[in-house]
Amino acid sequence: MLQLTARQNEAVELVKSGATRILLYGGTRSGKTLLVVSLMIYAALAFPGFKATIARLRFAHAKKSIWNDTLTAALKLLEIPGDLYDRNRSDYVIRFQNGSEIWTDGLDDKD
């Protein structure tokens, strides 16, 4: 189960407030990315057809930090059953049974 810090709880309240732009502050390993990815997973499960992309400047960094680490950790921490989603390791996308998708990509692709 995901245990949130006080600062992460503040961020969740900001998301719930309907704010259109939120800037999260914190140092390395403070849980910013894990929180945002977890919220995306919740949204993907709650809203059929939800589509999101998580990007880093370089695809290699997105693959290493997001795909291999954070997404895997978030799915485990949130205890999302494996039969609710499929991890496509060639396209770096998680497809949920309800048609929602979370893509991992880099901004360094010229296309």
Side-chain angles (χ1 to χ4, degrees), residues 84-88 91 93-103:
L84 291 182
Y85 64 91
D86 177 56
R87 288 176 58 113
N88 183 315
D91 290 332
V93 60
I94 294 180
R95 290 190 174 93
F96 294 86
Q97 282 186 349
N98 66 0
S100 294
E101 298 176 347
I102 298 177
W103 290 78

Side-chain angles (χ1 to χ4, degrees), residues 24-69:
L24 300 179
Y25 291 95
T28 304
R29 308 299 299 171
S30 65
K32 300 179 303 289
T33 305
L34 180 62
L35 176 66
V36 171
V37 169
S38 297
L39 291 172
M40 284 184 173
I41 291 169
Y42 279 135
L45 292 170
F47 304 104
F50 175 85
K51 305 260 190 271
T53 300
I54 304 169
R56 294 250 191 234
L57 181 61
R58 306 277 181 239
F59 176 70
H61 298 161
K63 180 179 164 186
K64 182 178 177 184
S65 67
I66 301 298
W67 182 260
N68 290 334
D69 183 26

Side-chain angles (χ1 to χ4, degrees), residues 2 13-14 17-18 22 40 50 68 79 84 105:
L2 183 63
E13 291 305 315
L14 283 172
S17 76
I22 299 170
M40 284 184 173
F50 175 85
N68 290 334
E79 299 174 353
L84 291 182
D105 208 348

